[in-house]
Amino acid sequence: MQAQTKEKALSSPTVLPNEAKGVKAFLKKCRSQKALLLMTMPFVIWVFIFKYFPVWGWTMAFQDFKPARPFSEQEWVGFKHFTFLFTDARFLGVLRNTLAQSIINLVLGFVTAIGLALLINELKNLKFKRVVQTISYLPHFLSWVVAAALVSSVLSIDGVINEILMGLHIIDEEILWLGIGEYFWGILGASEVWKNVGWNTIIYLAAISMIDQEQYEAAKIDGASRLQRIRYITLPGMKQVIVILLIMNIGYIIEAGFEPQYLLGNGQNVEFSENIDVFVINYGISMFNFSLATAAGVFKTVISLIFLIAANSFSKKMGQGGLY
């Protein structure tokens, strides 16, 4: 009896634990996709070197970092620099500017990109459609140095905006638009839209192209107007893409940018133009206070991660899916 039981045990296949099965299946899949893994390896190495390895530098946020000293001789100060940031009136104003600029860019960027994508999709003349797309894409390929120079020229005392408004008798005298701080957020939002709206429409146009065209034909037969087709077919077909992009952009809510604020900012509008990145340059790196600059960077990263996780969780609870 014992011999028969032993023979059955030897002849029956070995049952692996779930973890062992998972590892075996993973290795098998890796072997079958060796070419793809080799293609992605340079990108993985790049991400590790430039995204993960520099995280070691976060230790500077907890030190009074001196470049000439070795790591073992650096003075550890705990949360001193974080305390300074959260109690400094200037940094609180900078944080306000950052959030305001990010929210303006987020709202305007989404509304204008989706609106332009819908309008381009409704064009029936293919040649005119391509011309519109090309013209709207072009500003994206300009560097912010050139773009900021164009914006400054248009908004100068003798610029086009003042000429038009004076000609229409909307204003009585020229306005130095970049010299009034209260106007800066609006100018920045409009500049971001002009520069990036065409580029941002690409993914929405791709999402629209994936919608089954038979739905439009059926809607036409049922007598649906263009606006009704947009409302009940196009927008629902774009919903998943919109949700994913919105989650990703909320994760960057504390990243208002650097170049336009730095190039368009001046002493007259600094109260509204200075954001966290400009603050880091002016009061961190320029003054060799690398620990303060690192603390501000750590704060941005942590807040961005919190916003990303919160937005993704909220989206999944609402049944709209998420990034993970």
Side-chain angles (χ1 to χ4, degrees):
M1 193 73 177
Q2 291 179 353
Q4 289 179 353
T5 306
K6 192 174 182 180
E7 285 180 10
K8 287 183 179 180
L10 292 172
S11 60
S12 60
T14 304
V15 179
L16 296 173
N18 290 334
E19 292 183 5
K21 283 183 178 180
V23 171
K24 190 174 181 180
F26 174 75
L27 293 175
K28 184 178 180 181
K29 196 166 187 178
C30 289
R31 283 194 296 269
S32 65
Q33 297 182 353
K34 286 188 292 186
L36 293 176
L37 288 174
L38 289 174
M39 289 172 61
T40 57
M41 193 58 65
F43 176 73
V44 172
I45 294 171
W46 179 88
V47 169
F48 177 78
I49 293 175
F50 293 101
K51 298 296 181 181
Y52 287 97
F53 185 72
V55 172
W56 169 258
W58 280 14
T59 55
M60 288 192 296
F62 306 95
Q63 304 169 341
D64 268 337
F65 180 77
K66 304 298 181 186
R69 295 180 185 173
F71 180 80
S72 59
E73 296 179 10
Q74 297 293 338
E75 181 184 354
W76 293 86
V77 294
F79 291 93
K80 170 187 171 182
H81 301 291
F82 293 96
T83 304
F84 172 79
L85 287 178
F86 299 139
T87 56
D88 181 58
R90 176 134 200 171
F91 181 78
L92 296 178
V94 165
L95 182 59
R96 177 207 63 175
N97 293 341
T98 303
L99 291 173
Q101 292 168 10
S102 296
I103 292 170
I104 290 171
N105 291 340
L106 177 66
V107 174
L108 289 180
F110 260 86
V111 172
T112 55
I114 293 171
L116 182 60
L118 293 174
L119 291 174
I120 291 175
N121 183 62
E122 292 299 315
L123 294 175
K124 302 305 178 186
N125 188 317
L126 290 179
K127 289 185 178 179
F128 182 65
K129 188 175 183 177
R130 288 169 184 165
V131 169
V132 171
Q133 285 181 284
T134 303
I135 292 173
S136 64
Y137 294 164
L138 285 176
H140 176 78
F141 298 99
L142 296 175
S143 70
W144 262 114
V145 175
V146 176
L150 291 173
V151 172
S152 299
S153 176
V154 168
L155 296 175
S156 63
I157 288 290
D158 55 350
V160 175
I161 298 298
N162 279 323
E163 292 289 339
I164 293 174
L165 295 179
M166 290 282 288
L168 296 174
H169 303 289
I170 296 175
I171 59 176
D172 297 325
E173 58 182 9
E174 293 88 352
I175 298 174
L176 183 59
W177 298 96
L178 289 174
I180 302 175
E182 289 80 359
Y183 294 160
F184 185 84
W185 292 349
I187 292 170
L188 178 66
S191 302
E192 289 276 5
V193 168
W194 163 70
K195 191 172 187 300
N196 296 315
V197 65
W199 184 259
N200 292 338
T201 59
I202 293 176
I203 193 165
Y204 295 115
L205 289 171
I208 292 172
S209 67
M210 298 299 292
I211 299 173
D212 187 1
Q213 296 301 310
E214 292 183 1
Q215 296 184 47
Y216 292 102
E217 297 299 330
K220 284 182 183 179
I221 294 172
D222 291 338
S225 64
R226 279 195 174 190
L227 289 177
Q228 288 174 325
R229 294 197 296 270
I230 291 173
R231 180 180 177 183
Y232 294 108
I233 299 176
T234 308
L235 286 175
M238 299 167 62
K239 184 174 67 173
Q240 190 61 34
V241 172
I242 293 173
V243 168
I244 291 174
L245 290 177
L246 182 60
I247 293 171
M248 294 176 68
N249 279 276
I250 289 175
Y252 285 97
I253 197 70
I254 205 74
E255 298 278 351
F258 167 73
E259 290 177 300
Q261 290 86 346
Y262 188 77
L263 295 168
L264 295 174
N266 54 56
Q268 294 174 300
N269 62 32
V270 66
E271 188 178 347
F272 292 85
S273 65
E274 188 177 39
N275 64 1
I276 292 178
D277 291 319
V278 178
F279 178 86
V280 166
I281 290 291
N282 292 336
Y283 299 96
I285 297 175
S286 296
M287 295 184 178
F288 300 100
N289 193 346
F290 301 110
S291 296
L292 181 65
T294 306
V298 172
F299 168 74
K300 281 175 53 181
T301 302
V302 171
I303 295 298
S304 296
L305 183 61
I306 292 171
F307 271 109
L308 180 65
I309 294 172
N312 189 74
S313 300
F314 179 76
S315 176
K316 291 175 75 173
K317 285 182 180 180
M318 296 298 292
Q320 300 298 325
L323 293 175
Y324 55 88

